[in-house]
Amino acid sequence: MKKHFYLVINENAGSGTGSKAAEKIIKQLQTANIDYTTFYTDHAGHEIEIVQKLAEDTLIPWTAELDIELFPLLVVLGGDGTLHSVLNALLAFDPNIPIGYIPCGSGNDFARGVGIEKQAEKAFFQLLKAEKPQEIQVITYAESIQEEIGLAVNNIGIGLDAAIVNAANTSASKHALNKFNMGSLSYIFSILKVLFTQKGFPILVEINGKKIEFDQAFLCTVTNHPYFGGGVPIAPVADPRKPVLDFVLVERINMFKIFWLIILLIQKKQMNSKYFHHYQSSKFRIVSTIPQYVHADGEILGKRSTDISFGTETRLFWF
C-alpha cells in the first residue's frame, strides 16, 4: 500500500532542528517520488488547528482489512511538546488514526522510550519500512478540580520536574541561548535554581483502592516509558507497550542526599534509596492540596491544587 505523507512541521523544535530535519526529509520524499503535503506551524497551537482540519477532511483510521491504494498518513516533525499537542488534537476523533513521528526536539523522550531512531533521517527510514502501525500505550488524565482531560505520550509531573520546566520556559536567558543552539544551558540553570528552592509538599496517592500519604513529596511523576528530562531513566522497568503505568515519587531530603540520589539515578540504582518510591498499576489518583506546578509532556498546565486520575489507552504510531 502506498502512502501520502501529510507532514506537520514545527521548524522551531529543538532550536531549529525541526527546520533542518524537514529539508532533509522533503528531499528524500522527492528523490523517492513519494506523495506528500507540508504544513508549517507559525504560532503556538497552530499544529492543533492543522491536525483537526486534516482529521475532519483527510485522515482515516487504520484497520488490517483496509483496501485502498493511497493511505493518508499524518507525520509529525517536532519535539515531544508538538507530539503532545497533535495527540490531544485527535482526542475527539477515531483513536485508530495513526501518527508517524520524526523527533526533532531537544529531549525526544518518546522516541527514546518506544524505539524510534533519534536521528531524523533514520527515523524517516523506519517510517518508510513499516507496513503497519504499532500499538503504544499513552497516559490518560482527568483533573477533577479544573475539569480537564487529556493524553500524554511521556509523563505527567507534579513538583520538581514541572517547576524546572516552568523556570526554563520563563527564563530570561532562554531566548538568547536558543539563538546559539545552547538552550540546554537554560535548562541546566533552571535545574540548579529549582533544586535549591523547591519545597516538600503533602500528597495523597491512591493505587488500586489503597491510599498512601506522603508529607514531604519533592518530585512526583506518572510515566508510561522509562525516560524523562531528555533521557533520564527515571523508571527503567516501564514498558510503553503494556497497559501499566509507573509512578515515581522522591521525598524532599537535604541537598547532599539529593545529589547522591542523582548519582544513583545516573547508575540506574535509584531503587536502592529509601527516599525513592516506585509503584506500578493500571490506574492512579494523585491529590495535592498545596498548589504546585503541573506539566504534561513538558507543557505546563499551571500552578494549582490538583486531583488527577490516570489510566492508559492504546494509540497507533507508525514506525
Side-chain angles (χ1 to χ4, degrees):
M1 180 190 301
K2 293 184 178 180
K3 293 179 283 293
H4 185 115
F5 291 85
Y6 290 86
L7 308 177
V8 177
I9 302 165
N10 179 357
E11 293 184 284
N12 295 321
S15 301
T17 301
S19 177
K20 297 174 183 177
E23 290 180 7
K24 294 178 181 178
I25 300 309
I26 290 170
K27 286 182 180 179
Q28 294 285 352
L29 288 167
Q30 292 171 342
T31 300
N33 198 29
I34 296 173
D35 293 330
Y36 71 94
T37 304
T38 57
F39 300 88
Y40 291 88
T41 64
D42 59 19
H43 58 267
H46 192 198
E47 65 273 17
I48 298 173
E49 302 168 24
I50 295 169
V51 170
Q52 288 180 337
K53 181 63 175 174
L54 283 172
E56 290 171 357
D57 301 338
T58 306
L59 304 177
I60 60 175
W62 168 267
T63 66
E65 297 78 26
L66 198 62
D67 185 21
I68 59 173
E69 292 185 5
L70 197 63
F71 182 78
L73 181 60
L74 173 66
V75 180
V76 179
L77 283 81
D80 288 333
T82 307
L83 183 60
H84 172 88
S85 295
V86 168
L87 185 69
N88 282 278
L90 292 173
L91 189 57
F93 299 92
D94 194 304
N96 289 317
I97 294 175
I99 301 173
Y101 178 53
I102 297 175
C104 306
S106 55
N108 299 325
D109 281 324
F110 178 75
R112 187 180 284 106
V114 302
I116 296 174
E117 292 282 354
K118 288 173 285 184
Q119 204 275 336
E121 288 180 283
K122 290 182 179 179
F124 174 66
F125 290 132
Q126 272 185 303
L127 191 149
L128 285 181
K129 291 178 182 178
E131 297 181 355
K132 62 181 181 180
Q134 296 192 33
E135 293 186 348
I136 298 294
Q137 298 298 316
V138 300
I139 303 170
T140 66
Y141 66 90
E143 207 290 310
S144 62
I145 298 175
Q146 302 291 329
E147 297 184 342
E148 294 177 351
I149 62 170
L151 304 173
V153 293
N154 292 325
N155 35 67
I156 298 173
I158 303 170
L160 179 69
D161 54 334
I164 290 171
V165 170
N166 180 73
N169 289 346
T170 57
S171 169
S173 62
K174 181 180 180 180
H175 182 69
L177 290 170
N178 279 343
K179 290 182 178 180
F180 300 98
N181 294 323
M182 298 172 65
S184 58
L185 282 179
S186 175
Y187 192 75
I188 292 171
F189 295 151
S190 298
I191 291 174
L192 294 174
K193 174 184 176 181
V194 175
L195 272 177
F196 286 95
T197 58
Q198 175 69 28
K199 297 180 180 179
F201 56 95
I203 70 161
L204 180 146
V205 183
E206 188 174 312
I207 310 169
N208 297 324
K210 180 182 178 181
K211 296 181 179 179
I212 306 172
E213 295 185 17
F214 294 90
D215 295 328
Q216 290 291 314
F218 188 51
L219 178 150
C220 306
T221 297
V222 173
T223 185
N224 65 328
H225 65 66
Y227 304 101
F228 89 145
V232 179
I234 190 71
V237 298
D239 187 341
R241 290 170 176 79
K242 295 180 179 179
V244 176
L245 295 172
D246 286 64
F247 172 64
V248 168
L249 183 143
V250 177
E251 295 182 62
R252 184 67 168 100
I253 47 182
N254 66 50
M255 291 309 301
F256 175 79
K257 291 180 179 178
I258 287 175
F259 285 117
W260 175 246
L261 183 55
I262 291 172
I263 293 173
L264 292 177
L265 189 61
I266 294 171
Q267 298 175 340
K268 298 184 180 181
K269 296 180 179 179
Q270 61 267 35
M271 301 288 189
N272 295 337
S273 172
K274 65 179 181 179
Y275 305 107
F276 184 96
H277 305 273
H278 173 255
Y279 304 91
Q280 286 187 318
S281 178
S282 59
K283 294 182 179 180
F284 287 98
R285 177 182 172 222
I286 299 176
V287 180
S288 173
T289 56
I290 296 178
Q292 299 293 324
Y293 283 109
V294 183
H295 82 89
D297 294 334
E299 302 297 305
I300 293 296
L301 302 182
K303 184 177 184 179
R304 61 201 191 188
S305 300
T306 307
D307 185 344
I308 312 183
S309 296
F310 302 90
T312 65
E313 282 188 9
T314 302
R315 288 295 185 273
L316 300 181
F317 291 88
W318 202 290
F319 65 96

